[in-house]
């Protein structure tokens, strides 16, 4: 397994234990190759990984301990007994949908071209349905899936992913010195309706031209096999994947494979245009997240003035409904002095405001004033989290504009036990929230500014934007009038550009998607207003690509070979690896991490052995499962963590933690580990309670069987 380590962030003067913890943490950053090792080890196996009991309960996957599933091939029939002479209960099951296995009969996979035997299957873990031939099923031996990455906008748009009916075809293309021209030529030929492309190139399917955002439109691309290769710039993979979409109440399957030219043309027909009333009724929600400690009043005034200038034009044109949100943040109780409120406050929690209402809040509400504050770090993360997770308007693009001049209390300190810039970004992605930041950089605060800049930049790394919409705003603490003017010059073009583009989109003009905005954002010679306007346009464009993808259909009924990188530009990732978890799996993981956290805190408080405390916690009945960790020397070998997590081909800090490593950690390092795990639990609970991200693969599935493709980076 190959793992690429991320850059460490700890000081070289830290203890040996801290250095070791840093090395362990680095494994949270990895390449797709590492993530796919499990798929490779199982894909080539000739034996079944399914373990069954008495036929009444769902079987288990021996590698992950998850319910065993198979992917159904096209034109599959279900029989009432393990025989083709039996009664056909259902014909033409939806191809490549995952079904649960309840029993195996004489399964022999030694010859992958002619599998023998039968599987008893059902579309939920409680409902056994009938029998299918082993030759019509593919054992899904891992929970690994891939999803399309955001295609980008303007000149930064990547080439659509092409799928081929044979590995040799895609390998030949990637090895060609004219690879980019050939790939772009195939895409152009498909779009022009050229015939005979499957025979000429082996093209089985093309990624929909509209971005199919897995966060909004559930689909499954399970990894069946892979082969590594090396490009000039990075490791890459040939992937054999299957494609599937969730069943519907009336879905009976198409009864054929879509490895044909008709399927290619059907995918190409999905253009980047509005359909019906989808975009005609589109709205825009802009939530301003503002630092409201004492130094920020000029910026609150400037933001208010910018919105005020736009109110008349927005009100006069009802075709551009823009709603505003206002969230303020300060600091924790003991650091906030005379602040009007502590931590964060949301003035538009129940319903977003019109422009007039937004201005009125900042003009008239005595609590919406900048006041108090002590040290420079503030509760930035808490404010942004409140904006992301609070109410949004239906059928509206979601945007957050962060304005602040100080860093956030860092995770691992006694003032922040819940959030980091990375967990905030993960939550924004899950909620389809796009962000931009106007980072005020006051003179004399360079040390704190250096802490704030990477936090702000990480939070605004939106999918599909090569250049993060991060705009630095110079400030002079001794000249409030100048600062007020500076933020006015930045905010006004942002709101104006967003409102203008929204009007165009509602009329069917989505040309913003093709505009090149990054150049203006990066241009040092451009004015502050021009860079802010360009950043706003790029953010809207990226969000619009995702929004319009709601009307697109993911590829279905296909198994084919592709590659995880852009065919024309292999430096860009085209497919992202994830783990498809059921809600109950995430609940089990949360409970396990909570148990570990309890033991860590007991051990730290009593200065006792961590694994002894862990056994005490488990024995006390905190965990529902019957687990003994008394003989364990590492968490990975304790059996406490879910088996599916331990089976993944990477080991994070918590999995690799053993008695020696823990004993070598300094008190500060142990506190930092505590905070990291606490933040993960918070993230998982937010995921668990977010009904928008969970989807059922079958209408019969219970709530806890709903699935969400979680990113590997979000695992502990």
């Amino acid at each position: 397994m190959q793992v690429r380590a991320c850059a460490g962030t700890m000081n070289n003067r830290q203890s040996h234990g801290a250095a070791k913890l840093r090395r362990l943490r680095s494994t949270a950053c990895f390449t797709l190759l590492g993530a796919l090792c499990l798929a490779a080890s199982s894909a080539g196996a000739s034996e079944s990984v399914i373990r069954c009991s008495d036929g009444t309960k769902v079987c288990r996957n021996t590698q992950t301990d998850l319910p065993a599933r198979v992917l159904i091939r096209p034109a599959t029939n279900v029989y009432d007994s393990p025989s083709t002479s039996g009664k056909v209960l259902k014909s033409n099951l939806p191809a490549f949908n995952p079904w649960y296995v309840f029993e195996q009969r004489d399964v022999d996979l030694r010859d992958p071209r002619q599998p023998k035997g039968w599987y008893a299957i059902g579309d939920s873990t409680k409902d056994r349905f009938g029998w299918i031939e082993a030759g019509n099923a593919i054992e899904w031996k891992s929970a690994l899936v891939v999803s399309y990455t955001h295609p980008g906008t303007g000149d930064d748009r990547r080439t659509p992913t092409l799928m081929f009916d044979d590995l040799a075809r895609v390998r030949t293309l990637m090895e060609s010195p004219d690879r980019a021209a050939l790939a772009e030529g195939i895409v152009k030929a498909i779009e022009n309706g050229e015939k005979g492309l499957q025979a000429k190139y082996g093209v089985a399917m093309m990624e929909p031209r509209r971005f199919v955002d897995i966060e909004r439109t559930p689909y499954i691309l399970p990894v069946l096999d892979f082969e590594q290769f090396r490009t000039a710039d990075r490791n890459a993979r040939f992937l054999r994947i299957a494609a599937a979409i969730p069943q519907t109440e009336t879905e009976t399957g198409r009864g054929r494979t879509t490895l044909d030219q008709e399927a290619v043309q059907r995918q190409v027909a999905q253009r980047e245009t509005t359909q019906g009333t989808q975009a005609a009724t589109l709205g825009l929600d802009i939530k301003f997240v503002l630092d409201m400690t004492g130094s920020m009043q000029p910026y609150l005034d400037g933001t208010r003035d910018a919105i005020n200038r736009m109110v008349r034009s927005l009100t006069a044109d009802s075709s551009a409904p823009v709603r505003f949100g206002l969230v303020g943040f300060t600091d924790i109780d003991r650091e906030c002095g005379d602040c009007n409120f502590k931590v964060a406050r949301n003035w538009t929690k129940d319903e977003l405001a019109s422009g007039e209402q937004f201005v009125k809040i900042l003009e008239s509400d005595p609590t919406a004033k900048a006041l108090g504050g002590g040290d420079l770090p503030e509760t930035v993360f808490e404010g942004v989290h409140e904006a992301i997770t609070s109410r949004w308007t239906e059928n509206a693009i979601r945007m957050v504009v962060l304005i602040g001049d100080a860093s956030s209390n860092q995770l691992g300190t006694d003032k922040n036990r819940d959030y980091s810039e990375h967990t905030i970004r993960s939550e924004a992605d899950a909620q389809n929230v796009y962000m931009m930041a106007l980072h005020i950089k006051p003179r004399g605060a360079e040390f704190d500014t250096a802490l704030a800049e990477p936090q702000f930049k990480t939070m605004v790394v939106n999918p599909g934007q090569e250049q993060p919409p991060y705009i630095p705003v110079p400030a002079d603490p001794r000249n409030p009038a100048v600062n007020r003017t500076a933020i006015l010059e930045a905010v006004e073009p942002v709101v104006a550009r967003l409102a203008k583009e929204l009007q165009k989109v509602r009329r069917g003009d989505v040309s913003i998607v093709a505009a090149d905005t990054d150049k203006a954002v990066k241009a040092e010679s451009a004015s502050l207003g021009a860079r802010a306007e360009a950043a706003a346009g790029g953010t809207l464009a990226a969000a619009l690509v995702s929004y319009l993808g709601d009307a697109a259909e993911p590829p279905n009924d296909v198994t084919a070979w592709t590659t995880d990188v852009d065919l024309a530009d292999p430096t860009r990732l085209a497919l992202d690896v994830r783990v498809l978890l059921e809600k109950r799996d995430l609940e089990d993981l949360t409970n396990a991490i909570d148990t570990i956290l309890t033991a860590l805190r007991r051990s730290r408080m009593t200065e006792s052995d961590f694994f002894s405390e862990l056994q005490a916690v488990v024995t006390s009945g905190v965990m529902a499962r019957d687990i003994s960790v008394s003989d364990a020397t590492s968490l990975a070998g304790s059996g406490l963590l879910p088996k599916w997590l331990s089976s993944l081909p990477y080991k994070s800090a918590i999995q690799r933690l053993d008695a020696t490593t823990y004993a070598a950690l300094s008190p500060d390092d142990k506190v930092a580990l505590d905070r990291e795990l606490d933040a993960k639990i918070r993230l998982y609970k937010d995921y668990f309670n977010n009904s928008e991200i969970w989807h059922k693969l079958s209408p019969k599935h219970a709530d806890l069987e709903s699935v969400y493709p979680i990113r590997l980076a979000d695992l502990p």
Side-chain angles (χ1 to χ4, degrees), residues 548-605:
L548 293 178
D550 276 359
E553 293 182 2
N556 57 289
D557 300 13
V558 62
T559 176
W561 284 91
T562 186
T563 178
D564 65 319
V565 295
D566 186 333
L567 287 168
D569 180 9
T571 64
R572 301 187 62 178
L573 198 64
L575 295 170
D576 185 29
V577 67
R578 296 169 178 247
V579 181
L580 192 71
L581 294 185
E582 291 186 353
K583 223 175 182 181
R584 70 175 109 221
D585 300 327
L586 186 61
E587 187 176 44
D588 288 344
L589 177 60
T590 304
N591 291 337
I593 298 300
D594 189 52
T595 299
I596 294 168
L597 189 56
T598 300
L600 283 171
R601 290 172 178 170
R602 286 189 182 184
S603 175
R604 193 171 72 250
M605 292 175 61

Side-chain angles (χ1 to χ4, degrees), residues 224-498:
L224 305 179
D225 199 356
F226 90 100
E227 180 179 308
Q228 180 189 3
F229 67 97
R230 177 74 185 177
T231 69
D233 302 287
R234 64 183 300 161
N235 290 318
R237 266 64 47 193
F238 297 118
L239 304 173
R240 182 171 176 253
I241 61 176
I245 55 177
Q247 302 173 49
T248 65
E249 292 284 2
T250 59
E251 179 69 77
T252 59
R254 294 170 179 80
R256 62 178 179 82
T257 176
T258 55
L259 286 172
D260 54 34
Q261 188 64 25
E262 177 187 346
V264 174
Q265 299 302 330
R266 187 167 62 248
Q267 294 295 331
V268 173
Q270 298 170 15
R271 303 289 183 176
E272 292 164 340
T273 57
T274 59
Q275 294 190 2
T277 61
Q278 183 195 20
T281 59
L282 178 64
L284 174 64
D285 289 353
I286 310 174
K287 292 185 181 180
F288 284 90
V289 180
L290 303 172
D291 186 340
M292 289 191 175
T293 53
S295 61
M296 287 295 296
Q297 190 58 50
Y299 304 101
L300 271 63
D301 293 338
T303 301
R304 179 200 64 212
D305 293 346
I307 303 299
N308 199 20
R309 291 188 185 186
M310 295 303 302
V311 166
R312 289 185 180 180
S313 60
L314 292 175
T315 303
D317 188 347
S318 60
S319 68
V322 181
R323 307 287 290 178
F324 296 94
L326 177 61
V327 177
F329 62 86
T330 54
D331 207 344
I332 63 172
D333 292 358
R334 67 177 182 273
E335 299 290 349
C336 215
D338 297 327
C339 294
N340 280 316
F341 59 91
K342 314 297 184 186
V343 185
R345 179 173 177 182
N346 189 347
W347 281 265
T348 51
K349 190 178 186 68
D350 297 324
E351 184 178 6
L352 273 72
S354 65
E356 296 95 329
Q357 292 168 332
F358 184 92
V359 170
K360 185 177 180 180
I361 293 171
L362 285 177
E363 283 183 340
S364 306
D365 192 322
T367 63
K369 305 296 180 186
L371 190 66
D375 58 351
L376 273 176
E378 317 290 7
T379 51
V380 184
F381 296 151
E382 286 83 350
V384 177
H385 177 268
E386 171 61 28
I388 290 172
T389 58
S390 57
R391 188 168 186 168
W392 296 89
T393 305
E394 187 176 353
N395 194 38
I397 286 178
R398 303 171 175 181
M399 289 188 61
V400 165
V401 179
L402 170 62
I403 302 176
D405 68 346
S407 65
S408 182
N409 299 314
Q410 297 185 63
L411 186 68
T413 65
D414 61 355
K415 293 166 55 177
N416 176 14
R417 63 181 306 118
D418 295 325
Y419 309 107
S420 71
E421 58 269 39
H422 302 287
T423 58
I424 291 295
R425 184 65 251 173
S426 291
E427 289 201 334
D429 290 340
Q431 294 273 19
N432 290 291
V433 175
Y434 284 72
M435 296 177 58
M436 65 177 296
L438 300 176
H439 181 198
I440 298 158
K441 294 187 170 183
R443 296 176 187 172
E446 286 76 15
F447 176 78
D448 186 73
T449 296
L451 297 175
E453 183 170 333
Q455 292 177 346
F456 280 42
K457 284 184 175 179
T458 298
M459 286 188 284
V460 300
V461 177
N462 298 312
Q465 283 186 279
E466 290 294 303
Q467 184 69 20
Y470 166 87
I471 306 298
V473 181
D476 184 352
R478 297 169 297 181
N479 199 332
V482 171
N483 297 336
R484 177 173 176 172
T485 301
I487 201 66
L488 173 64
E489 291 177 352
V491 173
E492 185 173 11
V494 166
V495 180
R497 178 69 180 275
L498 294 174

Side-chain angles (χ1 to χ4, degrees), residues 156-170:
D156 289 319
R157 192 172 182 87
R158 63 169 173 79
T159 307
T161 298
L162 297 172
M163 303 180 190
F164 298 83
D165 55 14
D166 185 77
L167 172 59
R169 301 271 200 168
V170 65

Side-chain angles (χ1 to χ4, degrees), residues 36-241:
L36 291 176
C37 282
L38 175 62
S41 65
S42 61
S46 59
E47 297 181 358
S48 173
V49 297
I50 295 176
R51 179 185 71 250
C52 301
S53 55
D54 59 2
T56 62
K57 297 179 180 179
V58 69
C59 303
R60 313 299 295 188
N61 184 311
T62 58
Q63 294 182 339
T64 66
D65 204 34
L66 296 173
R69 289 178 284 192
V70 291
L71 303 170
I72 307 300
R73 297 183 186 276
T76 294
N77 292 333
V78 185
Y79 298 87
D80 66 348
S81 62
S83 171
T84 54
S85 60
K87 178 182 178 181
V88 176
L89 300 177
K90 191 172 185 178
S91 300
N92 299 329
L93 290 182
F96 300 110
N97 272 214
W99 286 67
Y100 294 100
V101 177
F102 286 79
E103 188 178 347
Q104 297 182 97
R105 186 74 59 86
D106 302 324
V107 170
D108 185 349
L109 306 179
R110 286 175 292 181
D111 184 353
R113 294 170 298 179
Q114 293 182 321
K116 297 181 176 63
W118 291 79
Y119 296 101
I121 63 169
D123 59 358
S124 78
T125 56
K126 297 180 180 178
D127 298 315
R128 175 170 167 160
F129 182 56
W131 293 87
I132 62 170
E133 296 177 86
N136 283 332
I138 303 171
E139 287 192 8
W140 189 12
K141 300 176 182 180
S142 75
L144 293 172
V145 297
V146 290
S147 63
Y148 296 116
T149 62
H150 195 292
T153 60
D155 291 346
D156 289 319
R157 192 172 182 87
R158 63 169 173 79
T159 307
T161 298
L162 297 172
M163 303 180 190
F164 298 83
D165 55 14
D166 185 77
L167 172 59
R169 301 271 200 168
V170 65
R171 180 187 286 118
T172 299
L173 176 60
M174 287 302 301
E175 293 175 350
S176 170
D178 300 321
R179 177 194 63 248
L182 284 172
E184 292 167 356
I186 293 174
V187 171
K188 185 175 181 180
I190 293 173
E191 293 180 333
N192 290 337
E194 185 177 322
K195 303 298 183 181
L197 293 180
Q198 185 177 17
K200 186 176 182 179
Y201 298 111
V203 180
M205 186 71 70
M206 186 175 83
E207 174 187 357
R209 275 303 243 169
R210 282 174 146 201
F211 174 46
V212 187
D213 188 350
I214 198 169
E215 303 284 1
R216 304 170 69 102
T217 305
Y219 61 89
I220 308 172
L221 297 176
V223 177
L224 305 179
D225 199 356
F226 90 100
E227 180 179 308
Q228 180 189 3
F229 67 97
R230 177 74 185 177
T231 69
D233 302 287
R234 64 183 300 161
N235 290 318
R237 266 64 47 193
F238 297 118
L239 304 173
R240 182 171 176 253
I241 61 176

